[in-house]
Amino acid sequence: MKQKTLLAAVGAALAVAAVAPAQAGETMDAIKARGEIRCGVSDGLPGFSYTDQKGVVRGIDADFCRALAAAVFGDANKVKFTPLTAKERFTALQSGEIDVLSRNTTWTMSRDTGMGMVFPAAVVYYDGQGFLVNKKLGVKSAKELDGATVCIQAGTTTELNLADYFRTHKMQYTPITYDKSDESAKGLEAGRCDVLTSDQSQLYAQRIKMANPDQYVVLPEVISKEPLGPVVRPGDHEWFSTVRWTHYAMLIAEELGVTSKNVDEMKKSNNPEIRRLLGVDADFGKAIGLPQDWAYQVIKQVGNYGESFERNVGKGSPLKIERGLNALWTQGGLQYAPPIR
């Protein structure tokens, strides 16, 4: 009898912990009062965030904005997209112009600790810096680029990585900087530089926009770690957790085989982990100010992480990028989510 009483008490305590209300946060309060999320995205990068011919913002970063809206409002359309250049993005977040920056931004220590911003530990895409060259140059390796002119986007970590790489290999280069990613790519096409450097995903994205993409090749070297993820202002733990757990919910859904197409059927599953994820048996949303079915809405309206990856940057997209480091941990990749429990 004593054991049963103890178990009942522990169970009650866990139940209370699972539904404890969240502390109000300035950003989340403003979002709910406004009725939409203001999401900063790139100024046009295929696969990540770009406006299609119908005027719809597409891409893996845009999907994440919609997933947040689905979690908070149950409606993935309640998003206002704000295109931002690399130079504009942090000021827009710090000033409150946007609620979240979902714009292929590298998580670094200085940005996380010294600029009034925080990364909610949600790496949407593991990337690395590379080089794109015209095949006519005859270059097979980045180590053959001594003396090259390099097109590069200003205000990015790629400028610093480039300097480190050439200094380490005792090579010289001349940087030619541009404010926008598209401008730097056009610089390469126009012959204003020998090589374009950026995150590899951006190089693949820019290549498909060129008049003759087959003339260009991405060199094999990857010279940096570029974990790309959303950024928020500090001071609102509720909003911080919403951003972080929205990404985790998409990962867990893929791991459990829950998709946008089968999520309704999955609510009948006997798998307790699936039932917790979808809010069938427990309300883990209340602790961060979200509806009980927040994860269900994300998956139903946007899909799991694998679905978003494949349609935007994966084999089902024009970019045709391998999952690589972005595979789930169960498949040898780095994408890993803590359990919902």
Side-chain angles (χ1 to χ4, degrees):
M1 179 62 76
K2 287 183 178 179
Q3 184 178 12
K4 288 183 178 179
T5 302
L6 177 59
L7 289 174
V10 170
L14 290 174
V16 169
V19 299
Q23 291 185 341
E26 181 179 349
T27 301
M28 183 65 102
D29 284 349
I31 289 170
K32 290 181 176 176
R34 191 189 310 126
E36 67 177 8
I37 295 171
R38 298 183 302 196
C39 195
V41 294
S42 77
D43 50 346
L45 183 65
F48 288 82
S49 52
Y50 69 101
T51 303
D52 69 12
Q53 294 178 338
K54 297 180 179 178
V56 179
V57 182
R58 306 283 188 187
I60 197 168
D61 287 339
D63 270 4
F64 188 69
C65 297
R66 292 192 174 90
L68 290 172
V72 175
F73 298 112
D75 185 347
N77 294 315
K78 292 191 174 180
V79 178
K80 178 184 177 183
F81 292 102
T82 301
L84 298 165
T85 67
K87 281 186 176 180
E88 296 168 336
R89 56 185 165 175
F90 298 130
T91 301
L93 181 64
Q94 291 161 337
S95 68
E97 180 183 349
I98 58 174
D99 303 309
V100 58
L101 180 65
S102 181
R103 186 201 177 285
N104 52 296
T105 298
T106 301
W107 180 8
T108 69
M109 183 174 178
S110 60
R111 289 173 175 174
D112 199 22
T113 61
M115 295 178 66
M117 303 176 295
V118 288
F119 288 75
V123 178
V124 173
Y125 190 94
Y126 288 96
D127 212 337
Q129 185 173 338
F131 299 93
L132 181 69
V133 300
N134 192 317
K135 291 179 180 177
K136 291 180 179 178
L137 200 63
V139 171
K140 304 297 182 186
S141 166
K143 294 178 182 176
E144 301 171 27
L145 293 174
D146 189 18
T149 51
V150 184
C151 286
I152 189 169
Q153 189 178 6
T156 64
T157 56
T158 54
E159 285 186 285
L160 303 176
N161 295 334
L162 180 69
D164 287 349
Y165 183 78
F166 274 73
R167 186 183 302 116
T168 299
H169 291 85
K170 297 181 172 53
M171 299 191 300
Q172 302 296 316
Y173 73 99
T174 301
I176 300 176
T177 59
Y178 296 88
D179 286 339
K180 297 183 178 181
S181 177
D182 279 357
E183 293 173 349
S184 60
K186 289 177 180 175
L188 176 65
E189 267 195 301
R192 299 191 186 98
C193 57
D194 300 312
V195 56
L196 169 65
T197 186
S198 187
D199 293 348
Q200 277 205 338
S201 61
Q202 290 196 41
L203 298 180
Y204 284 108
Q206 290 295 354
R207 187 173 64 171
I208 65 171
K209 295 177 11 180
M210 293 178 167
N212 296 295
D214 291 341
Q215 286 186 4
Y216 298 87
V217 61
V218 177
L219 298 179
E221 286 85 356
V222 176
I223 68 169
S224 69
K225 295 183 290 185
E226 305 292 340
L228 310 180
V231 195
V232 299
R233 289 181 297 279
D236 189 337
H237 186 72
E238 188 179 15
W239 178 234
F240 176 96
S241 295
T242 296
V243 173
R244 177 166 58 183
W245 279 96
T246 294
H247 177 61
Y248 289 158
M250 295 176 76
L251 290 179
I252 294 169
E254 182 182 8
E255 186 177 328
L256 295 174
V258 182
T259 70
S260 57
K261 294 182 175 57
N262 69 14
V263 65
D264 288 306
E265 188 65 25
M266 283 293 191
K267 292 177 78 171
K268 304 171 188 173
S269 169
N270 292 324
N271 184 325
E273 196 169 0
I274 292 175
R275 296 176 69 84
R276 285 196 296 273
L277 171 68
L278 301 180
V280 177
D281 289 338
D283 185 0
F284 285 91
K286 190 173 183 178
I288 50 176
L290 298 179
Q292 185 167 339
D293 66 345
W294 65 278
Y296 165 84
Q297 296 295 344
V298 170
I299 301 160
K300 177 71 175 179
Q301 299 184 42
V302 181
N304 67 35
Y305 178 78
E307 291 179 276
S308 179
F309 187 98
E310 289 305 318
R311 70 171 168 260
N312 290 307
V313 299
K315 292 300 183 182
S317 76
L319 274 67
K320 302 189 184 306
I321 298 176
E322 300 283 350
R323 283 292 291 267
L325 296 178
N326 292 292
L328 297 179
W329 68 285
T330 52
Q331 304 296 319
L334 297 179
Q335 291 291 358
Y336 180 96
I340 293 178
R341 179 176 287 281

